[in-house]
Amino acid sequence: MKKLSEVCKIVGVTRRTLQEYNKVELLKPTKITEAGYWLYNDYAIQKLFLIKVFVEAGYERKTIKTLLESPTLDMLDELDRLISTLEEERKRINGMINTIKNLELTLKLPESTLRAMGNIDVTRIYQDKSFTSCLEDSIANSAEYTDTDCAEMELYMPALYNILAIGCLMGVPEDSAQVQAAVEQSYRDIIKIAKEGEDESDEELAETELADFFTEYMQEMMNDPEFQHIVEFQCGKGATEYIIRATQVFCDGKKDVGYQ
């Protein structure tokens, strides 16, 4: 048997809460001593844990009382239903978090990238979907995301946006300052991603080697059919070839500096 004060510490409730539970006959003390101490046995404490779970889940006291007085099978069924409800809520919360993180990543992009991406026709992104339906898709997909996936998304999404920003400038000369500034931002992103995967023992690459790596990386991405579709869909036909040409101009410049 444990005293009321001990039970409060074990379960994380207040003295007043236990007094109220006693008043509405939700949970009575197992025994009251002659000195007036309220005592609770292990069964009562376990029952209090259940009550706390249901209270945290938003159940009304009347509903909790009915559940506690029902057969054990009903209680197990209710707990299963509660788990399903909470899992759905978790998916929705994760979906909201992913959506907000995407918005946050967008707001953190360089101003030059945002200006370039202003050329994107938003209707091509959402097509016939509303923001609400896109959010629902994010919620549905969130169950598949792990913490590692989310961390990778935060690393790769800025790189994707900045690559799209290059494509959005299609029509502007590849060697112009505006285009080369966009390529340089992508260069920084890709090198950062590469360094994240390096071992501490890896040697620091020279500027020309980094330029070669960046060129190969971008060409590989632009040759990937899925990524090619994304770029062409958002920026227009010919955008992938334009990005490759702009990248080559940038890397040739890097090599020229490196060889000097």
Side-chain angles (χ1 to χ4, degrees):
M1 294 278 232
K2 288 184 170 53
K3 294 179 182 178
L4 182 147
S5 57
E6 293 176 306
V7 173
C8 288
K9 288 181 181 179
I10 292 170
V11 184
V13 294
T14 64
R15 177 182 295 270
R16 182 176 178 180
T17 296
L18 289 180
Q19 290 171 340
E20 289 177 357
Y21 288 172
N22 176 58
K23 185 176 180 180
V24 298
E25 298 184 347
L26 184 58
L27 180 71
K28 289 184 168 292
T30 307
K31 181 180 178 181
I32 300 178
T33 67
E34 291 182 2
Y37 289 109
W38 289 15
L39 302 177
Y40 296 82
N41 61 14
D42 289 341
Y43 174 75
I45 294 172
Q46 184 180 19
K47 192 175 178 181
L48 181 57
F49 273 117
L50 267 177
I51 293 170
K52 186 170 175 62
V53 166
F54 285 124
V55 168
E56 291 291 335
Y59 285 58
E60 294 182 356
R61 290 180 180 180
K62 184 179 179 180
T63 304
I64 298 172
K65 190 170 185 292
T66 301
L67 282 169
L68 293 175
E69 292 172 352
S70 66
T72 305
L73 185 60
D74 290 349
M75 175 63 73
L76 291 174
D77 288 343
E78 186 63 30
L79 289 173
D80 282 339
R81 280 194 292 273
L82 179 55
I83 289 171
S84 296
T85 300
L86 292 174
E87 284 177 344
E88 287 300 314
E89 287 183 9
R90 179 168 60 187
K91 282 172 62 177
R92 175 165 288 277
I93 290 169
N94 286 343
M96 282 295 297
I97 289 172
N98 290 333
T99 300
I100 293 168
K101 279 186 175 180
N102 274 329
L103 292 171
E104 187 179 41
L105 287 171
T106 303
L107 293 173
K108 287 180 179 178
L109 291 172
E111 188 178 342
S112 58
T113 300
L114 293 174
R115 282 200 304 269
M117 289 187 69
N119 296 326
I120 290 180
D121 182 356
V122 178
T123 58
R124 283 188 296 178
I125 301 174
Y126 293 104
Q127 292 181 306
D128 58 347
K129 289 186 174 184
S130 65
F131 174 78
T132 301
S133 61
C134 289
L135 175 58
E136 292 300 326
D137 287 345
S138 177
I139 291 167
N141 294 330
S142 66
E144 302 173 7
Y145 295 151
T146 63
D147 289 342
T148 302
D149 292 332
C150 292
E152 287 184 353
M153 180 187 75
E154 290 187 40
L155 187 62
Y156 281 89
M157 285 303 288
L160 172 59
Y161 284 134
N162 284 309
I163 290 171
L164 288 176
I166 302 171
C168 288
L169 295 170
M170 188 168 53
V172 180
E174 291 93 334
D175 61 353
S176 68
Q178 185 182 11
V179 174
Q180 288 304 297
V183 178
E184 184 172 7
Q185 189 59 52
S186 290
Y187 172 79
R188 291 174 184 170
D189 292 334
I190 301 305
I191 298 306
K192 180 182 178 183
I193 290 170
K195 287 184 176 180
E196 286 284 334
E198 284 182 355
D199 295 329
E200 290 184 5
S201 58
D202 289 347
E203 293 182 6
E204 190 76 22
L205 294 176
E207 197 71 35
T208 53
E209 291 173 312
L210 289 174
D212 285 336
F213 169 79
F214 178 57
T215 301
E216 291 173 11
Y217 190 98
M218 291 292 280
Q219 286 178 339
E220 187 177 336
M221 288 184 75
M222 293 305 117
N223 289 328
D224 179 82
E226 186 177 347
F227 193 80
Q228 209 172 69
H229 172 74
I230 292 172
V231 173
E232 301 273 335
F233 180 72
Q234 304 294 352
C235 306
K237 190 171 182 180
T240 51
E241 290 86 351
Y242 176 81
I243 292 171
I244 290 173
R245 291 196 303 272
T247 298
Q248 193 61 58
V249 171
F250 175 83
C251 290
D252 287 345
K254 280 279 182 188
K255 289 179 183 179
D256 289 343
V257 172
Y259 286 131
Q260 287 176 2

